[in-house]
Amino acid sequence: MEALKHKILEAGRVLPGNVLKVDSFINQQIDVELMTAIGQEFADRFADQQIDRILTIESSGIAPAIMAAQALKVPLVFARKRKSLTLSADIYATKLFSYTTQQYTDVMVDKRFIQPGEKVLVIDDFLANGQAVEGLIDILNQAQATLAGVGIVIEKSFQPGRQAIEAKGFRVESLVKIASLDDNQVQFSE
């Protein structure tokens, strides 16, 4: 997706530890025009599936996921990282490790929002080691739902996330693949 590559080069920042900061257009301030195009791209790539709903993790995955849900005309569910007073006690829950924060986090989804037999598309902003996606797959397994595929905005292809997910037989569609962040420079693959 050329528009996304251009925006990464223009406004992304490489931080120590192979971290690409895209907070000025994806996760804190959102470029709505770009996000709309991202949502449509996911809808186009997964048009061959009969998607019942989209699942993501709060908070950075919500913007691309909601635009994809709008384009596909399906509901969006996000896994919460904190249990609030309003969250039902009847939940699917899992623990995952975040590459960005270097911490384990409990994530949960109210059981009313994912039904057995549903076909669910997982969308997230980044794919590095695959921990977040594997956590969402665990939630889908608990719900006895089917994973239709995984949509990733930015994949760090120099890390093993894609291989781990594909080794389990799941389809991964990344809009942009980064081969390297060496020397504070973004190098795209493909």
Side-chain angles (χ1 to χ4, degrees):
M1 186 173 181
E2 291 305 313
L4 179 56
K5 285 182 180 179
H6 176 75
K7 193 69 166 188
I8 290 169
L9 293 175
E10 173 189 297
R13 295 182 298 135
V14 179
L15 302 179
N18 285 323
V19 173
L20 176 62
K21 196 152 178 73
V22 292
D23 59 344
S24 67
F25 60 98
I26 290 183
N27 13 45
Q28 188 166 8
Q29 173 175 274
I30 296 169
D31 180 328
V32 177
E33 187 175 318
L34 177 62
M35 202 56 67
T36 300
I38 286 170
Q40 187 59 56
E41 183 68 23
F42 283 132
D44 293 345
R45 290 187 187 203
F46 289 98
D48 62 331
Q49 301 293 309
Q50 297 293 331
I51 308 294
D52 293 307
R53 69 186 65 241
I54 291 176
L55 177 63
T56 193
I57 294 180
E58 70 175 351
S59 66
S60 298
I62 293 175
I66 201 165
M67 300 312 270
Q70 181 179 30
L72 288 165
K73 299 181 182 1
V74 298
L76 163 66
V77 176
F78 63 89
R80 298 182 69 123
K81 292 181 181 176
R82 289 170 287 295
K83 187 164 179 148
S84 72
L85 293 174
T86 60
L87 186 64
S88 165
D90 199 17
I91 59 173
Y92 303 116
T94 193
K95 187 179 286 290
L96 56 91
F97 182 76
S98 168
Y99 179 83
T100 306
T101 65
Q102 294 291 297
Q103 295 178 1
Y104 283 94
T105 305
D106 291 315
V107 295
M108 57 216 77
V109 172
D110 188 308
K111 287 185 177 180
R112 295 175 300 157
F113 302 136
I114 302 175
Q115 300 301 309
E118 286 186 323
K119 233 176 156 177
V120 180
L121 173 61
V122 166
I123 302 256
D124 206 3
D125 60 339
F126 275 93
L127 177 61
N129 292 316
Q131 306 278 337
V133 170
E134 288 188 11
L136 293 177
I137 292 169
D138 181 44
I139 286 174
L140 293 178
N141 287 337
Q142 292 174 50
Q144 299 177 359
T146 301
L147 178 64
V150 177
I152 300 296
V153 178
I154 301 170
E155 176 186 337
K156 295 178 180 177
S157 59
F158 57 91
Q159 292 180 289
R162 173 183 282 272
Q163 293 83 359
I165 296 162
E166 287 182 337
K168 293 178 176 155
F170 299 121
R171 174 181 171 189
V172 179
E173 291 284 340
S174 299
L175 303 187
V176 167
K177 295 179 186 175
I178 295 176
S180 169
L181 295 172
D182 292 343
D183 300 321
N184 295 325
Q185 298 293 317
V186 176
Q187 299 294 323
F188 297 107
S189 52
E190 293 183 15

